[in-house]
Amino acid sequence: MSIFNAPKEVTAAPAAKNTNQNTSIEKKAGENMQKEQEVKVVEQKPAVPNYKDEIAVVSPSTTIEGNITTEGNLVMSGKIVGNIKSKGNLILNGSSNGDISCESVVLDACDTTSNVTASMNVIIKEGTKITGNIKCKSITIVGTVKGNINADTVFLKKTAVVSGDITAKQFMMEAGAKLKGKVDC
Amino acid sequence: MKVDLKEDYIIDSFKLIEGYDPQKIQASLILADPLEGQDHLFSVNGISENMTILSKGTVVDGNMESSSAVSISGKINGNVKTSSDIGVAGIVQGDISSRNSSLNHAGVRGNIYAAEDVSIDNSSVVVGNVNARNVVVNSKVKGDIIALGKVSFRKDTLAVGNITAGLINMEDGAKISGAVTLTTQSYKPEDFDQEFKMEDIK
């Protein structure tokens, strides 16, 4: 097993040729059994490594020139010039210049020029400035957004400053929030 | 405004995202200290400040430069450069440049530059040169090893390439194939001609 090609976890070797997914030794009436395939009580599907709960961390003093793709979660406190793609959640505390795609994201005290596509929630905390379009399920804005927002639920809190068009199913705005753009609700 | 990377901050931030279980976070925050040779699969509560961790399942396509410690359990297709230490338990397709460097079940296709020590252990595979002060090899290296200090070949070594070192130490079972030169400065074979005169042998 070449170290450069295969994942490090030991995978159970799938039983050859057998399309029968049964793991029991019992014979089923009426089925044509081949004896050599029923000898082992063994999981026939190879184990697939699951990295969904892993957390990758990029420290504040790190710069990445290129893209980062992760199957789990990511805490990005450094600087990235490139895209971020995560199958999990993202905490963006550094600076990013490129597209962001993840499940949910918290932007905290960062300066970003990115388009964000999140399948779930986006939270833009105070001190955050993001330039780019955002598409997600729900978004709560406490900081500054310059770009269009397309979400199911949009909530602007009282320190929010939004400059761009909003397309939403539900739209809420606290007194004090600033909005310059159209709202299509 | 940058926030120090502390476990509380990470947990609080993830809590803002609905449905994310804080216990899952604590279980998966990984602290890997490359110098102590800990296995990167261990999970430890807490996260040291200023450490970059590329966990399993993370791929960086591009170069990374840092001044904090770096721990790679995922994959990077590009160079890694840090003024601190680096621990690799994943795959690096590019050069590694650090102060100390520790490879544990790692794959590196590129050169390794270290200001101080390099440790290649635990079924690692390195295809590229190694340039450091001291090197401990207990794994496979295909490339030249240049160390002004000490190079130790432990018993699981397979080193293919030329070795230039100030001091060498070899355990039984280590395999080496290449020219070995022990010197603390650069040399040409002709420089040693004086030593091989036979006039004094009668």
Side-chain angles (χ1 to χ4, degrees):
Chain A
M1 185 161 83
S2 157
I3 196 170
F4 289 106
N5 296 322
K8 274 197 288 297
E9 271 62 34
V10 174
T11 59
K17 299 163 221 133
N18 190 7
T19 54
N20 183 355
Q21 294 298 316
N22 261 330
T23 57
S24 81
I25 310 179
E26 293 162 8
K27 291 192 178 177
K28 284 200 171 165
E31 270 194 299
N32 187 14
M33 290 294 164
Q34 294 176 27
K35 291 213 171 96
E36 60 266 20
Q37 292 166 354
E38 296 302 300
V39 168
K40 292 184 227 170
V41 183
V42 143
E43 214 15 75
Q44 292 182 0
K45 288 188 190 152
V48 175
N50 183 350
Y51 300 131
K52 273 221 79 184
D53 289 331
E54 298 277 336
I55 301 183
V57 177
V58 177
S59 72
S61 56
T62 304
T63 307
I64 296 181
E65 275 173 26
N67 306 324
I68 183 167
T69 309
T70 171
E71 284 179 39
N73 309 303
L74 171 61
V75 178
M76 166 61 75
S77 281
K79 184 175 165 186
I80 176 164
V81 180
N83 303 328
I84 301 176
K85 202 164 162 186
S86 165
K87 283 192 187 161
N89 305 313
L90 169 64
I91 299 174
L92 183 53
N93 175 234
S95 89
S96 142
N97 197 331
D99 293 337
I100 297 176
S101 155
C102 56
E103 198 181 303
S104 292
V105 56
V106 173
L107 284 89
D108 187 2
C110 66
D111 209 319
T112 311
T113 308
S114 311
N115 293 324
V116 176
T117 308
S119 59
M120 295 290 291
N121 313 319
V122 172
I123 297 166
I124 301 188
K125 289 178 76 172
E126 59 257 353
T128 303
K129 193 167 168 194
I130 169 166
T131 308
N133 300 325
I134 305 175
K135 181 171 168 24
C136 55
K137 199 157 173 211
S138 101
I139 176 167
T140 305
I141 306 174
V142 186
T144 305
V145 176
K146 195 170 172 184
N148 301 329
I149 300 171
N150 184 339
D152 286 352
T153 309
V154 176
F155 188 6
L156 272 61
K157 304 207 86 174
K158 63 178 193 276
T159 52
V161 176
V162 176
S163 166
D165 298 336
I166 299 180
T167 309
K169 288 187 185 153
Q170 274 190 324
F171 176 72
M172 287 169 284
M173 195 163 146
E174 273 184 358
K178 292 195 175 66
L179 169 59
K180 186 174 180 179
K182 293 185 297 219
V183 177
D184 193 347
C185 186
Chain B
M1 181 181 110
K2 294 279 193 287
V3 175
D4 273 337
L5 278 185
K6 293 230 167 56
E7 185 187 345
D8 296 338
Y9 164 75
I10 292 175
I11 293 178
D12 289 342
S13 298
F14 272 128
K15 270 190 195 163
L16 288 177
I17 298 167
E18 268 174 53
Y20 204 83
D21 185 2
Q23 285 187 332
K24 266 192 189 173
I25 302 166
Q26 279 177 317
S28 63
L29 280 176
I30 297 170
L31 174 65
D33 188 340
L35 288 187
E36 289 178 26
Q38 281 180 2
D39 192 331
H40 289 65
L41 294 175
F42 292 163
S43 297
V44 176
N45 287 340
I47 185 169
S48 73
E49 282 178 56
N50 279 342
M51 184 165 184
T52 291
I53 299 174
L54 295 189
S55 55
K56 284 179 186 237
T58 303
V59 177
V60 173
D61 282 309
N63 302 325
M64 186 160 83
E65 186 165 340
S66 177
S67 62
S68 65
V70 176
S71 164
I72 298 178
S73 298
K75 187 170 171 179
I76 172 164
N77 297 322
N79 304 326
V80 188
K81 188 170 168 182
T82 175
S83 51
S84 178
D85 304 330
I86 183 168
V88 187
I91 296 173
V92 177
Q93 309 241 37
D95 295 342
I96 298 177
S97 176
S98 63
R99 188 179 62 196
N100 293 303
S101 186
S102 172
L103 276 68
N104 248 300
H105 198 54
V108 176
R109 199 180 279 277
N111 303 321
I112 301 176
Y113 301 95
E116 291 178 21
D117 303 341
V118 172
S119 161
I120 301 171
D121 209 344
N122 217 337
S123 320
S124 296
V125 175
V126 175
V127 178
N129 301 328
V130 179
N131 267 277
R133 178 162 321 145
N134 303 310
V135 184
V136 173
V137 186
N138 194 17
S139 219
K140 300 181 191 172
V141 177
K142 182 175 172 186
D144 295 339
I145 300 177
I146 301 170
L148 286 187
K150 181 170 170 180
V151 179
S152 292
F153 296 103
R154 304 261 160 88
K155 63 179 173 60
D156 293 325
T157 298
L158 171 57
V160 175
N162 300 326
I163 295 145
T164 309
L167 272 177
I168 259 187
N169 175 274
M170 243 179 105
E171 273 183 11
D172 285 351
K175 300 198 221 3
I176 294 181
S177 174
V180 176
T181 311
L182 294 182
T183 179
T184 52
Q185 54 209 3
S186 63
Y187 80 109
K188 294 189 283 288
E190 305 85 79
D191 293 345
F192 293 109
D193 280 351
Q194 279 263 81
E195 307 285 335
F196 291 93
K197 295 205 155 77
M198 296 213 200
E199 282 85 1
D200 293 331
I201 299 175
K202 298 209 203 300

